[in-house]
Amino acid sequence: MNIQYEEPTLGSSYSVVGSFPKSFGYGGEDQDLDPDPEEANPSASRPRILLMGLRRSGKSSIQKVVFHKMSPNETLFLESTNKIYKDDVSSSSFVSFQIWDFPGQVDFFDPTFDSEMIFKGTGALIFVIDAQDDYMEALGRLHLTISRAYKVNPDINFEVFIHKVDGLSDDHKIETQRDVHQRANDDLADASLDKLHLSFYLTSIYDHSIFEAFSKVVQKLIPQLPTLENLLNIFISHSGIEKAFLFDVVSKIYIATDSSPVDMQTYELCCDMIDVIIDVSCIYG
Ligand SMILES: Nc1nc2c(ncn2[C@@H]2O[C@H](COP(=O)(O)OP(=O)(O)OP(=O)(O)O)[C@@H](O)[C@H]2O)c(=O)[nH]1
């Protein structure tokens, strides 16, 4: 398969305000290797989040729903991705990264697949597994992908989205997560890759779980997170406010929250309030 690169078609609502500090370690080195001329630009030092997984696992849907406000039902009409689709997310000074949506059939052994270039500048690799399908093939692919990426760049955060869980009962969700977790880690142990840490999330585009999972993935890439958490702790202790989130309004992912546990209902309520405010400001704007 020939890997081609598609320029980001950035939603007009996004503007470049800032990027991750260079000291974070995602600049420079990869720029020489990347065939994309845009990478020569200093703004390209923002970290990369890769979306990988088998065909039809839901990668493009996740990217469109979270970052382009596509309604979940519209994703039924998405066409299969056949080249790497790069999307710039630069909506505030704390969230600035690129998402690379990969085609499901990417072939690591193809000479045009430059794993050095792709994985070197990567902050997080999200591997999407369709929980409504038989996931054995996906687990094999997960192992191949992460072991290859780890060899090139052991600093990548490996995130596994056990996706489309909207069709599963609560018991089935927990059982699937346990099973995927167990098998994926057994495969790593067999390959003597015990040091490689995987994080698992149950996700669906039909509820807020995908926004929550993406929030956590992005938070891990924010070097200022402890400071932000601290500031929010101080804020709630002095204001009598119960819970504080720092939101990226455009995507509704939260960049930080105070250290009390996150209750999904509170998070959903805040997301709904953001929608109301955006709708009202569109009417009166
Ligand atoms: N039930 C359910 N369906 C989903 C979910 N996410 C995506 N889908 C559906 O899964 C199908 C495939 O989604 P895509 O986003 O095109 O999958 P992809 O992984 O990008 O596929 P390729 O481009 O072929 O690699 C679509 O019909 C989506 O509507 C989800 O959370 N729940």
Side-chain angles (χ1 to χ4, degrees):
M1 193 200 101
N2 254 341
I3 303 285
Q4 291 170 283
Y5 298 88
E6 187 168 291
E7 286 304 309
T9 50
L10 183 60
S12 56
S13 55
Y14 296 115
S15 62
V16 180
V17 180
S19 64
F20 279 68
K22 270 256 165 106
S23 58
F24 190 41
Y26 288 101
E29 209 175 348
D30 57 322
Q31 288 171 12
D32 296 335
L33 299 159
D34 201 320
D36 185 344
E38 189 225 341
E39 302 293 285
N41 179 331
S43 71
S45 64
R46 61 182 69 111
R48 229 174 260 161
I49 298 181
L50 309 185
L51 271 171
M52 295 181 136
L54 294 186
R55 263 174 187 275
R56 311 299 290 157
S57 53
K59 302 175 291 293
S60 308
S61 307
I62 292 173
Q63 191 237 336
K64 297 281 182 204
V65 169
V66 177
F67 295 102
H68 292 276
K69 299 227 165 285
M70 183 178 272
S71 85
N73 288 329
E74 280 177 73
T75 64
L76 291 167
F77 309 106
L78 281 176
E79 284 185 14
S80 209
T81 315
N82 54 17
K83 48 186 160 185
I84 300 176
Y85 174 84
K86 296 179 181 180
D87 189 13
D88 263 305
V89 178
S90 320
S91 41
S92 86
S93 52
F94 291 117
V95 267
S96 179
F97 49 85
Q98 279 197 334
I99 298 179
W100 289 18
D101 180 9
F102 279 73
Q105 74 282 19
V106 56
D107 176 4
F108 293 120
F109 299 103
D110 190 297
T112 59
F113 185 89
D114 187 348
S115 47
E116 279 280 317
M117 179 280 290
I118 288 171
F119 296 130
K120 265 263 160 67
T122 293
L125 189 161
I126 300 176
F127 194 92
V128 184
I129 296 180
D130 181 348
Q132 293 188 12
D133 201 7
D134 174 19
Y135 48 77
M136 290 307 154
E137 190 191 343
L139 283 172
R141 195 73 196 172
L142 166 70
H143 183 72
L144 181 69
T145 308
I146 57 177
S147 45
R148 208 168 162 119
Y150 185 76
K151 271 191 203 126
V152 176
N153 179 2
D155 295 328
I156 296 178
N157 297 332
F158 293 100
E159 320 277 6
V160 181
F161 284 7
I162 303 167
H163 191 54
K164 306 193 190 178
V165 292
D166 45 279
L168 274 52
S169 68
D170 283 349
D171 285 350
H172 197 170
K173 278 184 201 171
I174 308 230
E175 176 50 29
T176 307
Q177 178 163 14
R178 195 204 54 75
D179 192 42
V180 169
H181 186 285
Q182 177 82 44
R183 288 174 190 273
N185 282 315
D186 285 352
D187 287 349
L188 288 177
D190 291 347
S192 309
L193 286 169
D194 310 67
K195 272 199 241 153
L196 198 161
H197 175 76
L198 298 174
S199 304
F200 296 87
Y201 309 81
L202 292 166
T203 57
S204 163
I205 52 168
Y206 287 95
D207 57 33
H208 289 82
S209 57
I210 192 62
F211 293 92
E212 231 230 323
F214 232 106
S215 301
K216 292 190 174 147
V217 169
V218 171
Q219 282 168 29
K220 288 191 200 167
L221 298 177
I222 296 180
Q224 303 94 334
L225 185 66
T227 313
L228 292 172
E229 251 178 41
N230 230 351
L231 287 171
L232 292 171
N233 281 337
I234 296 169
F235 174 62
I236 58 163
S237 67
H238 286 85
S239 62
I241 287 172
E242 224 173 272
K243 179 86 192 145
F245 293 99
L246 180 63
F247 268 97
D248 170 43
V249 173
V250 179
S251 61
K252 285 190 293 188
I253 57 178
Y254 63 95
I255 310 308
T257 181
D258 61 272
S259 38
S260 66
V262 174
D263 162 34
M264 264 304 255
Q265 282 179 339
T266 315
Y267 174 58
E268 287 173 20
L269 183 69
C270 292
C271 289
D272 292 345
M273 289 311 292
I274 290 177
D275 282 339
V276 171
I277 290 171
I278 291 177
D279 288 348
V280 170
S281 52
C282 284
I283 295 170
Y284 293 104

